Amino acid sequence: MKRIYTCFLILVLLLCGGCSYGKTQNENASSSCDIFAMDTYMTLTAYGKNSDRALEEAENRINELDKKLSTGSPDSEIALLNKNGSGKLSDDTLYLLDKSLEISKETNGAFLPTIYPLMEAWGFPTKDFKVPDDSVIENCFSLFDTDLINENKKEGTVSFKKQGMKLDFGGIAKGYTSNEVIEIFKKSGIENAIINLGGNVQTLGKKPDGSLWRVAIQSPNEGDEYLGILEISDKAVITSGGYERYFEENGVTYHHIIDPKTGYPADNELVSVTIVCDDGLLADGLSTALFVMGLDEAIQFWQNHSEMFDVILMTKDNEIYVSDGISDLFSTTYEMNVIER
Ligand code: ADP
Ligand code: MG
């Protein structure tokens, strides 16, 4: 079913997707554009006079970032660094490295940018999936230490002190990209926009009619239209779930968000984590991290950082937990618990 749906989406994108940019636009203009980049489908919609030009610029920026950050393209900056163990990085990639190290520290290693050797061991980058032997996982553990990343800020170079270490920004790249798109929109004078990078949404301002954007959060349950609806303005709404990329072996499902402590896909009460935050990059990093933490730790983490973000958690038994900063703006047909500060 999933495959049929994906094929259909590709077909729709091929038939009516892509971006065509006009020349003259009035104040009530709107422009929309579908892109396939970073291994996912993206839709950008902007309103106002310069929306065509802003979308064109945004599309170029997305493709530029995709080229730099894609671990899968052999000549990307990150792939070359991973292959050679050292390299010169652009400001974008250095910024992502610094931010990912900050988030890693703050989340006590639940978010781990050095996870890539383990992603490879599970076969996620090549889709040649397998459950790794314990000895392989043990070896990956020895490559996790972020203190072994050497960064020369003046030269813009990075090297690993241990052979085999590799970086992965898959958990934050889309969030950084959505921040960058929103920045381009702002600089172009756009005041109302919504972008969706494979289920990760970021909004600028409100809808052109002054009402809030209504963002449908994807549900992990097949057959569900969505998990709930959040009414929001000027925020990133970013979800991590084990249902997005996974494989099955001997009746067991293994997904793509790995708990660095066990070396196995995070396996706790949570099936979905949505972070609502001004900053898309932070939202993306935290969605991955809180998914790894599990329900109690995620709630505690939010309580300690409630000024920074809001959260919507869903558990295996279909209970929803929403932080009190957004509970009035969220509607769902599931049983909902409000998390207090
Ligand atoms: P998605 O990219 O599907 O929206 P996430 O934002 O949660 O979902 O990112 C998952 C990706 O992050 C994985 O595909 C992998 O590249 C990377 N990753 C997996 N586990 C971790 C982890 N514990 N810390 C940091 N990155 C991770
Ligand atoms: Mg993430």
Side-chain angles (χ1 to χ4, degrees), residues 110-112 115 119 168 170-171 174 240 244 256-258 260 284 288:
F111 185 90
L112 190 72
I115 197 100
M119 298 308 296
D168 180 6
K174 276 181 277 167
S240 282
E244 280 174 42
H256 72 313
I257 302 176
I258 307 284
D284 200 357
T288 309

